[in-house]
Amino acid sequence: MTALSSKSDSVNVFLIGNNPTDLSGIYNLLKSIKTRTFKTEIHFDPNNILSRVSKFNPSCILIDDNLEKLKLRKLVKRLNAHVRTRHIPITVIKNSNYAEPQIQEAQDYLLKESLTSESLSKSIFNSIKFKKMQRYLRVNYAQKKTKLNQLLNR
């Protein structure tokens, strides 16, 4: 994952959904953010998503919840399980807060009706930081566990 240190760094965002109108609204919100440049790729078919995500190398994935609920759950689980995409934070953009239970593998949820460019930007950067922290803790824990086992087995 790339470091997001300077304001000139661009952030790759991968949009997934089946409603071009909703995705273009999200795209326009990303383009209206003046503090950072966002490169976006939009994909409408969740079936062959892994190869496209791997080629684009996004910093964040935004998924519109207009997809069928079962397809949405399978897609998020598949993205979190694959070795090339599990480090990428996933944000689900929801139509309603009451419709369905949350998908545990997603880092964040945003409601479409209250979505602003500022809230979208904050969510993306918070998700990226959270995923980096998770990765750091996982690697550090494995290293410390190995060292402890080596000390105990001497």
Side-chain angles (χ1 to χ4, degrees):
M1 196 175 324
T2 60
L4 299 172
S5 56
S6 73
K7 288 186 178 182
S8 64
D9 289 343
S10 65
V11 179
N12 291 346
V13 177
F14 200 88
L15 294 172
I16 304 169
N18 61 1
N19 188 338
T21 306
D22 287 345
L23 293 182
S24 66
I26 296 166
Y27 176 81
N28 289 333
L29 285 174
L30 287 171
K31 291 300 175 189
S32 69
I33 299 170
K34 302 294 182 203
T35 58
R36 201 65 78 135
T37 303
F38 290 90
K39 292 181 183 175
T40 55
E41 184 166 327
I42 300 174
H43 196 66
F44 296 102
D45 182 20
N47 293 329
N48 62 350
I49 202 79
L50 289 174
S51 62
R52 295 281 304 269
V53 170
S54 296
K55 288 177 187 174
F56 185 61
N57 192 24
S59 300
C60 182
I61 298 173
L62 302 177
I63 303 176
D64 186 8
D65 80 335
N66 279 339
L67 298 172
E68 294 176 28
K69 300 306 173 197
L70 184 60
K71 280 187 179 182
L72 178 64
R73 287 182 191 281
K74 284 182 179 180
L75 174 62
V76 172
K77 285 184 180 184
R78 195 171 43 184
L79 287 169
N80 273 317
H82 197 273
V83 71
R84 289 186 152 183
T85 57
R86 70 173 148 218
H87 68 280
I88 304 170
I90 298 171
T91 298
V92 176
I93 301 175
K94 296 180 61 100
N95 285 318
S96 167
N97 205 17
Y98 304 107
E100 293 290 323
Q102 294 184 349
I103 301 169
Q104 294 178 358
E105 291 86 0
Q107 263 59 54
D108 200 5
Y109 291 89
L110 295 172
L111 288 174
K112 283 181 193 172
E113 60 190 34
S114 63
L115 194 60
T116 64
S117 59
E118 184 178 333
S119 66
L120 185 57
S121 174
K122 283 182 181 179
S123 173
I124 288 171
F125 291 116
N126 286 340
S127 294
I128 291 170
K129 287 177 190 175
F130 181 74
K131 204 61 156 168
K132 282 183 181 180
M133 181 191 67
Q134 277 184 328
R135 188 176 187 188
Y136 171 78
L137 290 174
R138 188 172 41 251
V139 168
N140 237 3
Y141 175 76
Q143 289 173 347
K144 301 294 182 190
K145 185 178 175 183
T146 302
K147 285 181 183 179
L148 183 62
N149 284 336
Q150 287 173 351
L151 286 173
L152 292 175
N153 293 332
R154 282 188 185 186

